C-alpha cells in the first residue's frame, strides 16, 4: 500500500463504500455483507471475538456457496457448448463428470465422449485465495504431464486440454495461475468464453 498509491486508494474505497466502490460490484453479495465499516453497530460487533471468529470461519455456508458457484460456472460452459451445437455442429456429443481412466479422475467435460475424447475441459472458479489453489495447480500440472506422455505415444489420437479459470481469487495466486497456463493447451475464462467456438472448430472434424 505504501508503494502503490492507486492500490491503496482502491482498497480504502472498498472498505469505506463496500458494494458501491470501484471493485465492490465485482464481489458476491454473500461476502459483501461483512463489509459495513461505516455502520456503528458493525464497528461495535468487531470488539466481540466470537463474532469475528464466526464471520471468518463460516466454512459450512462458504462451502455450500462455493459448490453453487461451481455448478453455475459449469452450467455456463454447458450452455455455450449447447449453443455451438445448435448453431454449428448439430451432431456434436459430449459427456460431463465422467471418470477418465487415463487420469483415474472425474473430468468436467469430455468431447465428444468418454471412450474417445478429443478435448478435455476442467473448470475452476475461486472467489477467494487459499492453499487449495496450489493443490489444484499441482493436480492440473500432473494431469497435463500424463496427457503429454499419452499424446507422444498416440500421435494419431492426440487429446487437447482446456482449462477454464476465473474468479477474483486467482488474482492473488498468479504463480499458480501461470503454472496452469503452462499445463494447458488452452486457458479461457468467462470474458473470452466465446473462443471456445474457435477451439471446437479447430479440433473437431
Amino acid at each position: 500500500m505504501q508503494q502503490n498509491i492507486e492500490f491503496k486508494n482502491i482498497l480504502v474505497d472498498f472498505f469505506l463504500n463496500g458494494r458501491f466502490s470501484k471493485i465492490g460490484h465485482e464481489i458476491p453479495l454473500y461476502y459483501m455483507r461483512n463489509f459495513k465499516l461505516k455502520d456503528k453497530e458493525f464497528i461495535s460487533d468487531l470488539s466481540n471475538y466470537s463474532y469475528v471468529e464466526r464471520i471468518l470461519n463460516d466454512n459450512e455456508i462458504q462451502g455450500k456457496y462455493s459448490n453453487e458457484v461451481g455448478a453455475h460456472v459449469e452450467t455456463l460452459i454447458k450452455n455455450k457448448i449447447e449453443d455451438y451445437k445448435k448453431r454449428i455442429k448439430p451432431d456434436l456429443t459430449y459427456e460431463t463428470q465422467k471418470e477418465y481412466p487415463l487420469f483415474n479422475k472425474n473430468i468436467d467435460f469430455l468431447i465428444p465422449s468418454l471412450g474417445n475424447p478429443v478435448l478435455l475441459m476442467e473448470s475452476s472458479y475461486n472467489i477467494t485465495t487459499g492453499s487449495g489453489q496450489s493443490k489444484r495447480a499441482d493436480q492440473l500440472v500432473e494431469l497435463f504431464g500424463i496427457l503429454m506422455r499419452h499424446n507422444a505415444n498416440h500421435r494419431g489420437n492426440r487429446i487437447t486440454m482446456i482449462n477454464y479459470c476465473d474468479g477474483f481469487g486467482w488474482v492473488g495466486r498468479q504463480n499458480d495461475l501461470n503454472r496452469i497456463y503452462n499445463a494447458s493447451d488452452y486457458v479461457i475464462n468467462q470474458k473470452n468464453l466465446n473462443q471456445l467456438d474457435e477451439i471446437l472448430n479447430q479440433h473437431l472434424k
Side-chain angles (χ1 to χ4, degrees):
M1 291 178 63
Q2 292 177 336
Q3 296 176 352
N4 190 328
I5 300 301
E6 181 181 3
F7 175 75
K8 180 183 74 174
N9 290 337
I10 289 175
L11 192 60
V12 170
D13 177 41
F14 172 64
F15 279 109
L16 290 179
N17 298 311
R19 188 70 173 177
F20 302 101
S21 65
K22 183 176 181 180
I23 63 172
H25 67 281
E26 302 287 350
I27 298 177
L29 288 172
Y30 168 77
Y31 290 97
M32 290 306 303
R33 73 180 185 180
N34 292 327
F35 288 88
K36 309 172 186 176
L37 294 189
K38 292 194 291 185
D39 186 330
K40 292 183 179 180
E41 293 183 2
F42 178 69
I43 298 299
S44 177
D45 287 337
L46 290 180
S47 65
N48 184 332
Y49 177 82
S50 296
Y51 176 80
V52 174
E53 185 178 42
R54 181 177 64 79
I55 66 174
L56 292 177
N57 297 285
D58 200 359
N59 291 326
E60 181 180 354
I61 296 177
Q62 289 183 17
K64 292 179 179 178
Y65 182 83
S66 296
N67 289 338
E68 290 180 6
V69 169
H72 178 67
V73 168
E74 290 180 10
T75 298
L76 293 176
I77 297 171
K78 183 177 180 179
N79 289 343
K80 181 61 183 173
I81 295 174
E82 286 290 339
D83 177 65
Y84 175 88
K85 180 176 180 177
K86 181 178 179 180
R87 291 183 296 105
I88 300 175
K89 193 174 178 61
D91 62 343
L92 175 67
T93 61
Y94 63 94
E95 297 187 65
T96 62
Q97 293 297 331
K98 297 289 185 179
E99 183 174 345
Y100 185 44
L102 183 63
F103 296 157
N104 292 318
K105 176 191 178 304
N106 275 18
I107 299 297
D108 293 334
F109 294 88
L110 306 98
I111 306 172
S113 68
L114 171 64
N116 186 33
V118 175
L119 296 163
L120 302 177
M121 187 172 182
E122 285 280 86
S123 65
S124 178
Y125 191 98
N126 289 83
I127 298 169
T128 59
T129 62
S131 59
Q133 289 168 271
S134 293
K135 294 178 181 177
R136 177 63 168 168
D138 289 342
Q139 181 188 59
L140 293 174
V141 168
E142 180 183 2
L143 297 184
F144 194 64
I146 295 171
L147 193 61
M148 289 183 68
R149 290 191 291 273
H150 168 86
N151 288 339
N153 294 322
H154 302 82
R155 297 183 183 276
N157 186 30
R158 190 180 189 282
I159 301 172
T160 297
M161 188 72 190
I162 307 170
N163 277 305
Y164 176 105
C165 290
D166 209 333
F168 199 66
W170 285 111
V171 175
R173 289 277 175 170
Q174 291 295 306
N175 288 339
D176 289 326
L177 186 59
N178 286 332
R179 291 170 61 210
I180 293 175
Y181 265 82
N182 292 329
S184 311
D185 292 297
Y186 300 96
V187 177
I188 58 177
N189 57 28
Q190 188 58 36
K191 186 174 182 179
N192 64 8
L193 185 57
N194 285 333
Q195 292 184 8
L196 188 58
D197 282 6
E198 299 175 21
I199 298 171
L200 293 173
N201 284 338
Q202 181 172 346
H203 293 279
L204 298 178
K205 297 180 181 179

